[in-house]
Amino acid sequence: MKSSKDSIPEDIYVGFVRSLFVDPGILLIGACCHGLIGLLVYLKTGEPIYLLLAVVMLGAGVYRFAAVRRVDPSSISDQASAAARERYYIAAGTIQGCVVGLFALVSVYWLPDPFSEMAAVSVIMGGAITIAGRNYGSRTMVAILTATAVAPIAIGLMLKGDVYHFVLGLFIVPFLIVVMKMASLVRLVLFTALREEKKATRLAQRFDKALNTMSHGLIMLDGEGRIVVANAQAARIMRLNAPEAMSGRTLKALLMRAVAAGMLGREDCAYVEDQLTRALRENCDRKLLVRFADGSHFEFSAREGSDELGVITFEDVTQRVEAEEKIRTMARYDSLTGLPNRNYFHELVTERMVAGDRERLCAVAILDVDDFKNINDTLGHPVGDGLIYAISERLAFFADDDVRIGRFGGDEFIIYVDRIEDESHLAELLDGVFAGLREEMDVAGHALRVQFSAGTVLLPASLSNVDSMIVKADLALHRAKTLGKNGWQLFETTMDAAFRHKQLLKADLRQAVETNALRVVFQPIVSLDTMRVASCEALCRWDHPELGAISPSVFVPLAEEIGIVSDISAQILRTACKECARWPESICVSVNLSARDFGDADVVRLVRDAVAESGLAPDRLEIEVTETALLDDKLSTRHHLEEIRALGVRIALDDFGTGYSSLSYLHTLPLDKVKIDRSFLVDITGNQRSLELLKGVVSLSRQLGLDVTVEGIETFEQLKLLAVHVRPDLLQGFLFGSALSPSGIGTMSNTVWPFGEDLENARRSAHG
């Protein structure tokens, strides 16, 4: 029993023991047969013992039948219960085996008779067949029944005494071995079958689990196009209770159920069936995105499997489609206003322009909010964003099939009109837009009225494209800004020419800077006391090879636009230091650095290197800083100025008195000099208040320990008033000549301007 249990898995052992108690009716038939055969032998021989044996065999068989029938095979659930039931079965079988064996021994040896011997052989041979077939589930039972039922007849034959019966008895031994081998073979065959069935069941369970836990719906079609396999997800999607409900249906029937459930339209159903069926027929993979009536999206995939089985999967990709749509929307539309962004607007307009009548007039207008930066600076960026949103809502009112609105970027919007009759029609439309935008807008509790500038272009669709129209509209916008804002301008050909000229100038200026073609000139700065050159201001000049001299008021803004103004400043600084080192030590030089220069952390290194390379004494160099640089980043600029002053270089505040000049600069910045702007001299000869103001500024600066230079002196009358009433330290202006070359400054180093005697007489008259 123990070996039997140990050699096979527990569940199979339990199954073998259960088989012993299945269909016990055959035991009752055997018992009746045994009793009847014993009765026949008794009637034939008349020996009472056979009658007794007939009754005992019948009783033993009925007892065994009753004992087996009493056990429910399903109650055998584990190894312990199986072992107990096997012992119970063996006990009843042993009793019956012993009784049948006794009948055989009596019939062959004790009371031999030809009929009884034949009856005994019949009983034993008939029972031997059932030993392996009925009791294979227990090796012990097979061994006991073989020993108790079959062995006695062999013993009886051998006890007869003659050699023939003895040998015949021995032949029973191979029979016993065959019976036991057959039982073992049956057990092995059944064990193998059960093991493979177990594997197949486990594999089927795993397949079923994998099939029904996958997120995709799956169906498999046989060669006739009918469903043979479906998973739970497929049943759920098709609103069926179980996958088994799909078996035997065709693909068309399944899709028609979706139509009946309101999930698909009939046209969609026919299209999906056609595409999937074609993919299976052509043995090619194909994916199909289908939108259901409830807004969900499913991706169907069809492919030919093995054994002529077609496989169709369908996955709920609603989240993926929604995510892709969200990404597409984010890429196409402005997040603040919801309007098409620049790229998507370009795409939409391009499609419209190439469609329809190519000779129709189309218009593009770029709309810009005037002074929008001031709103952000004063009210904050959230209010600025709210204003942009409010403007977009106003503009959306004008959108229709022929008018598209987009956000161009920042505070700019773009309008495309697909069909315009003429310029008057365009003017009417833009005037209406401006009228709608001029109304007061409530943004976060602020009542805002803003002004706009716009540039527009009107061209036939066949003669232009989106990019060129945007360029032309932008040029017109620039013209509108130049002319005072708060209006719109229509593109004119001259604007394009001016734009091209400006672009060429930018390219030529860049080349001039790269080849050091700019030259530096120096405007004298004269001491009031000596009337000699005390210093000079380095100025940049550009002599264009074709256009001649280009004014700094033209090329400096261009340099700022293309980002090379710092390169120009560096060239001026190096040249000024180099030339000043050659002049007499009494003459200094001043160089104006731009706001962009002070925005670069390398500005200190630039000054240090220029002084070191030229050998110029640091106190002969003066760096001029403008108010613009201070407004851009006062803290950073002050830090740079302190570092430059630590080198021994002097610092001057240029153009004082213009813009938002603050007196706080005079005592908070590390300054050595103040240069008073020429605007103070405009009416100094005729306006006493202007003179008094100038005197006050100069007096205040001097009290703070600062030298004072007055710029823009052009007449002797101005000079005389300055000399008598203001008394600045230094004088600068065209009265003392225009800017000179480096050699010219050297030549004039000993020159004394012939105003000394006249100025002295004027002073005496004023005090006399």
Side-chain angles (χ1 to χ4, degrees):
M1 171 61 206
K2 188 175 185 295
S3 61
S4 172
K5 174 176 70 65
D6 291 342
S7 61
I8 58 176
E10 179 180 346
D11 55 342
I12 295 181
Y13 170 66
V14 170
F16 280 161
V17 174
R18 284 178 179 174
S19 69
L20 300 175
F21 296 91
V22 175
D23 193 16
I26 192 173
L27 296 176
L28 182 61
I29 294 174
C32 294
C33 290
H34 291 164
L36 291 175
I37 290 174
L39 180 61
L40 285 176
V41 173
Y42 165 72
L43 294 176
K44 173 65 173 65
T45 62
E47 295 290 339
I49 193 171
Y50 287 115
L51 180 60
L52 177 62
L53 289 173
V55 174
V56 173
M57 286 192 295
L58 178 62
V62 171
Y63 167 74
R64 186 182 179 193
F65 163 75
V68 171
R69 190 171 181 273
R70 191 177 299 117
V71 176
D72 181 7
S74 63
S75 65
I76 306 173
S77 57
D78 54 25
Q79 181 176 312
S81 61
R85 292 295 185 268
E86 184 182 14
R87 290 192 295 270
Y88 175 77
Y89 183 85
I90 290 172
T94 300
I95 294 173
Q96 186 182 26
C98 290
V99 172
V100 173
L102 179 62
F103 172 75
L105 181 62
V106 171
S107 299
V108 173
Y109 175 73
W110 192 261
L111 296 172
D113 179 82
F115 181 78
S116 65
E117 290 180 355
M118 183 177 295
V121 171
S122 299
V123 169
I124 297 304
M125 292 302 100
I129 295 174
T130 64
I131 290 176
R134 182 69 181 75
N135 304 282
Y136 68 86
S138 174
R139 289 178 178 176
T140 303
M141 189 75 268
V142 170
I144 291 175
L145 287 176
T146 301
T148 57
V150 180
I153 195 171
I155 293 172
L157 290 173
M158 289 187 290
L159 290 177
K160 282 185 176 287
D162 62 280
V163 64
Y164 297 104
H165 282 86
F166 186 83
V167 172
L168 184 61
L170 290 178
F171 274 112
I172 299 298
V173 175
F175 177 77
L176 296 177
I177 295 173
V178 169
V179 170
M180 296 186 69
K181 286 291 184 181
M182 287 182 62
S184 296
L185 181 61
V186 171
R187 283 175 61 86
L188 178 61
V189 170
L190 290 176
F191 171 70
T192 302
L194 289 173
R195 184 176 60 187
E196 295 303 318
E197 181 184 8
K198 184 179 179 181
K199 288 182 180 179
T201 301
R202 186 181 299 114
L203 184 62
Q205 289 174 343
R206 290 175 179 175
F207 173 74
D208 185 67
K209 185 175 182 179
L211 193 67
N212 289 298
T213 55
M214 65 188 298
S215 60
H216 297 34
L218 180 142
I219 59 174
M220 299 180 70
L221 307 173
D222 60 16
E224 297 180 356
R226 295 187 177 276
I227 299 174
V228 293
V229 174
N231 67 352
Q233 183 71 350
R236 185 190 67 79
I237 293 171
M238 291 301 168
R239 300 179 184 177
L240 293 169
N241 295 329
E244 293 75 15
M246 303 175 72
S247 298
R249 298 180 183 232
T250 63
L251 177 61
K252 181 177 181 179
L254 187 65
L255 293 174
M256 288 304 296
R257 175 177 175 79
V259 173
M263 300 164 61
L264 277 177
R266 289 187 177 274
E267 293 183 359
D268 293 335
C269 172
Y271 175 74
V272 173
E273 180 193 3
D274 177 69
Q275 293 296 313
L276 296 180
T277 303
R278 183 182 303 176
L280 294 175
R281 184 173 60 251
E282 297 174 356
N283 192 21
C284 62
D285 291 350
R286 182 167 298 175
K287 291 187 176 182
L288 190 64
L289 185 64
V290 180
R291 186 181 188 278
F292 280 20
D294 60 359
S296 60
H297 292 79
F298 284 83
E299 187 176 72
F300 285 76
S301 299
R303 65 185 64 87
E304 186 74 24
S306 58
D307 300 327
E308 297 184 351
L309 290 176
V311 179
I312 296 177
T313 60
F314 36 104
E315 176 188 8
D316 188 343
V317 293
T318 304
Q319 291 185 348
R320 189 191 78 190
V321 171
E322 290 177 350
E324 290 174 350
E325 183 62 30
K326 185 176 181 180
I327 292 172
R328 190 179 300 110
T329 299
M330 292 172 63
R332 290 180 171 182
Y333 293 91
D334 175 58
S335 59
L336 175 61
T337 64
L339 296 174
N341 58 25
R342 184 169 185 165
N343 291 332
Y344 189 46
F345 185 86
H346 187 288
E347 180 182 333
L348 293 174
V349 173
T350 300
E351 292 177 356
R352 292 296 299 271
M353 288 187 68
V354 298
D357 180 13
R358 295 287 288 159
E359 297 306 317
R360 72 191 188 280
L361 289 175
C362 301
V364 168
I366 298 178
L367 189 71
D368 180 84
V369 183
D370 292 338
D371 302 318
F372 180 72
K373 184 176 183 300
N374 291 338
I375 295 175
N376 278 335
D377 292 342
T378 56
L379 300 179
H381 287 275
V383 175
D385 289 344
L387 176 60
I388 293 296
Y389 180 77
I391 294 170
S392 70
E393 286 189 317
R394 294 278 181 90
L395 288 174
F397 174 79
F398 299 96
D400 57 29
D401 292 340
D402 288 334
V403 179
R404 295 296 181 94
I405 311 291
R407 188 180 182 192
F408 202 53
D411 60 338
E412 290 186 334
F413 297 86
I414 187 166
I415 304 172
Y416 170 75
V417 186
D418 192 53
R419 295 182 183 276
I420 289 289
E421 297 176 5
D422 49 29
E423 289 186 15
S424 61
H425 181 201
L426 177 60
E428 180 183 351
L429 188 147
L430 289 179
D431 288 342
V433 171
F434 268 69
L437 294 176
R438 286 194 182 102
E439 296 178 7
E440 188 177 87
M441 301 182 192
D442 183 4
V443 180
H446 299 277
L448 302 179
R449 288 184 180 273
V450 291
Q451 297 178 345
F452 298 85
S453 297
T456 185
V457 59
L458 180 63
L459 288 172
S462 60
L463 297 182
S464 189
N465 56 52
V466 181
D467 290 325
S468 64
M469 293 185 75
I470 288 175
V471 170
K472 291 177 173 60
D474 198 44
L475 291 174
L477 172 62
H478 181 71
R479 172 65 63 83
K481 290 279 190 179
T482 304
L483 295 177
K485 306 179 181 179
N486 193 27
W488 61 272
Q489 287 289 315
L490 181 65
F491 172 78
E492 299 174 357
T493 306
T494 54
M495 297 179 187
D496 194 30
F499 173 75
R500 295 180 185 278
H501 176 70
K502 185 177 180 180
Q503 297 305 112
L504 290 174
L505 275 183
K506 287 181 179 179
D508 292 343
L509 178 59
R510 186 183 294 277
Q511 184 178 11
V513 172
E514 292 174 352
T515 58
N516 292 321
L518 300 179
R519 62 188 178 91
V520 180
V521 296
F522 301 88
Q523 186 173 38
I525 301 176
V526 178
S527 169
L528 179 63
D529 293 335
T530 65
M531 280 297 157
R532 293 177 181 272
V533 176
S535 182
C536 55
E537 181 177 358
L539 304 172
C540 186
R541 295 293 184 262
W542 179 27
D543 297 319
H544 193 280
E546 297 176 0
L547 303 176
I550 305 296
S551 171
S553 63
V554 174
F555 72 79
V556 171
L558 293 180
E560 292 177 343
E561 284 186 29
I562 59 180
I564 61 173
V565 70
S566 294
D567 297 330
I568 296 176
S569 297
Q571 290 185 18
I572 296 174
L573 181 62
R574 287 194 295 267
T575 302
C577 291
K578 180 180 178 182
E579 296 299 339
C580 186
R582 298 172 181 170
W583 299 334
E585 293 184 0
S586 61
I587 300 178
C588 302
V589 68
S590 63
V591 178
N592 193 316
L593 296 184
S594 69
R596 188 183 293 270
D597 297 325
F598 282 100
D600 189 343
D602 288 338
V603 66
V604 179
R605 179 186 59 79
L606 178 66
V607 174
R608 183 191 301 114
D609 292 348
V611 171
E613 291 172 4
S614 65
L616 181 69
D619 60 352
R620 294 180 62 193
L621 174 63
E622 188 174 83
I623 296 298
E624 297 183 7
V625 58
T626 62
E627 179 190 354
T628 305
L630 297 172
L631 288 175
D632 284 351
D633 191 344
K634 184 176 180 179
L635 184 62
S636 176
T637 302
R638 176 177 178 175
H639 177 69
H640 293 326
L641 289 176
E642 289 174 344
E643 290 190 76
I644 293 173
R645 197 162 187 253
L647 299 175
V649 176
R650 293 167 58 83
I651 306 297
L653 179 61
D654 192 20
D655 296 335
F656 184 78
T658 62
Y660 299 95
S661 292
S662 172
L663 293 175
S664 65
Y665 293 155
L666 300 182
H667 73 90
T668 59
L669 294 177
L671 301 176
D672 298 289
K673 179 190 291 186
V674 173
K675 298 187 72 175
I676 299 176
D677 186 69
R678 66 182 66 244
S679 61
F680 279 83
L681 304 182
V682 172
D683 58 351
I684 190 175
T685 58
N687 189 329
Q688 185 64 28
R689 294 185 64 182
S690 297
L691 179 60
E692 293 299 325
L693 176 61
L694 181 57
K695 287 170 60 178
V697 172
V698 172
S699 175
L700 177 61
S701 300
R702 187 169 284 119
Q703 291 177 23
L704 293 174
L706 302 176
D707 293 337
V708 178
T709 299
V710 176
E711 300 179 293
I713 304 172
E714 298 181 355
T715 68
F716 179 74
E717 290 299 319
Q718 292 173 334
L719 175 60
K720 187 167 62 172
L721 286 174
L722 291 174
V724 174
H725 301 287
V726 181
R727 299 293 298 172
D729 300 293
L730 299 168
L731 308 168
Q732 183 178 352
F734 287 117
L735 180 62
F736 304 100
S738 59
L740 303 173
S741 65
S743 60
I745 294 294
T747 302
M748 296 188 64
S749 60
N750 295 320
T751 301
V752 178
W753 267 265
F755 303 125
E757 185 176 348
D758 294 334
L759 294 179
E760 185 62 28
N761 292 332
R763 289 195 198 100
R764 289 173 182 170
S765 298
H767 295 292

